[in-house]
Amino acid sequence: MAPERLIEIIKPAESDIPHLTEMVNEFAKRGDFLPRSEDHIRATLPDWQIAREGDQIIAIGSLLLYGPKLAEVRSLAVTDAAQGTGIGRKLVESLLVEAKEREIPRVFALTRAVQFFEKVGFEITDKENFPDKIWKDCSICPLIDACDETAVQIYTS
Ligand SMILES: CC(C)(COP(=O)(O)OP(=O)(O)OC[C@H]1O[C@@H](n2cnc3c(N)ncnc32)[C@H](O)[C@@H]1OP(=O)(O)O)[C@@H](O)C(=O)NCCC(=O)NCCS
């Protein structure tokens, strides 16, 4: 019988910043989301959660607040070897618990992994619902005029 995997979902420590940055930028190179600098990650560290197995980070994601009523799941990624084993779901569920604890009623994502988010309980919605997001991040995205992402959202209560 395979040994049980010990995976913890936690807030990253300062010492995780280099590994976290490397992972963000590896997935950014593939076009999954936008790149982020180490300084940016340091400045937003409390927004992040990671899944750790032993001394390896196997998944990352952040919860970005847009005021008291809306947050975004951002920079969500699971390492190739760990994909398809439920880690992505666990991480998003943990980010949603955080949103609920912070009394944020609605969480959204802009994504190509629409079916994954639907499995976790999100529903497809209109991108125009999120003007702050469009102006803040989309204005620096190379795909601004050919966006192939879908907006999904979930209510936490
Ligand atoms: C999308 C991603 C985060 C999903 O994480 P994961 O750990 O592989 O997903 P899970 O194993 O938790 O899957 C949960 C459910 O979603 C389904 N699912 C996962 N990825 C899917 C996909 N690309 N298409 C369709 N269904 C998918 C799984 O089959 C599972 O379904 P089940 O509950 O019926 O068994 C991961 O594949 C990834 O990092 N992709 C590259 C980066 C990326 O696209 N990030 C999203 C940016 S917003």
Side-chain angles (χ1 to χ4, degrees), residues 67-89:
K69 294 193 168 170
L70 183 67
E72 177 190 11
V73 171
R74 199 158 84 162
S75 306
L76 174 74
V78 178
T79 55
D80 293 342
Q83 283 183 17
T85 62
I87 310 295
R89 177 195 288 278

Side-chain angles (χ1 to χ4, degrees), residues 23 27 30-33 58-60 72-80 82-92 109-120 149-150 152:
M23 214 170 138
F27 280 89
R30 303 179 188 184
D32 288 324
F33 39 73
I58 58 170
I60 59 172
E72 177 190 11
V73 171
R74 199 158 84 162
S75 306
L76 174 74
V78 178
T79 55
D80 293 342
Q83 283 183 17
T85 62
I87 310 295
R89 177 195 288 278
K90 282 203 182 87
L91 190 56
V92 172
L110 289 178
T111 187
R112 289 187 206 98
V114 179
Q115 286 171 309
F116 162 76
F117 276 97
E118 285 184 315
K119 285 269 169 93
V120 183
E149 292 189 320
T150 298
V152 293

